[in-house]
């Protein structure tokens, strides 16, 4: 599962736990139900800003952590390209 998939899942779970329908959340947020559904299913981007707005309706917040260790998806064996050093 990718980080994006995990975020979508947790946002959907927050709505469910709070008893807020996607239609109700969409109405409050000023977006169409279709677009919110697309964000929550991966057919449209779910940005961190949108995720924060959605879970705020559920009295929750989004926190992002960078963890040690290899990636957990199929790209974990792909070497990471070294970034160029920054100049002065």
């Amino acid at each position: 599962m990718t980080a994006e998939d995990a975020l979508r899942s947790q946002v959907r779970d927050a709505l469910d736990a709070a008893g807020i329908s996607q239609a109700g959340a969409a109405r409050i947020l000023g977006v169409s139900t279709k677009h919110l559904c697309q964000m929550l299913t991966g057919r449209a981007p779910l940005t961190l800003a949108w995720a924060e707005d959605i879970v705020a309706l559920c009295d929750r917040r989004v926190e992002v952590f960078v963890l040690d260790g290899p990636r957990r998806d199929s790209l974990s064996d792909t070497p990471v390209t070294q970034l160029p050093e920054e100049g002065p």
Side-chain angles (χ1 to χ4, degrees):
M1 174 182 289
T2 66
E4 291 89 352
D5 292 335
L7 177 62
R8 281 188 206 93
S9 177
Q10 291 178 29
V11 170
R12 286 191 309 267
D13 290 348
L15 287 171
D16 289 343
I20 300 172
S21 69
Q22 288 184 18
R27 192 169 31 259
I28 294 167
L29 295 167
V31 297
S32 70
T33 302
K34 178 180 178 179
H35 186 65
L36 180 60
C37 179
Q38 289 173 335
M39 286 192 285
L40 297 179
T41 58
R43 293 187 300 268
L46 175 64
T47 64
L48 285 175
W50 271 114
E52 288 175 322
D53 288 347
I54 296 165
V55 300
L57 299 175
C58 310
D59 199 28
R60 296 188 181 197
R61 68 183 189 279
V62 173
E63 291 190 12
V64 178
F65 298 93
V66 176
L67 305 174
D68 291 334
R71 290 176 59 167
R72 292 187 288 164
D73 62 14
S74 61
L75 297 177
S76 62
D77 295 329
T78 304
V80 176
T81 303
Q82 186 162 354
L83 298 175
E85 292 185 27
E86 291 185 26

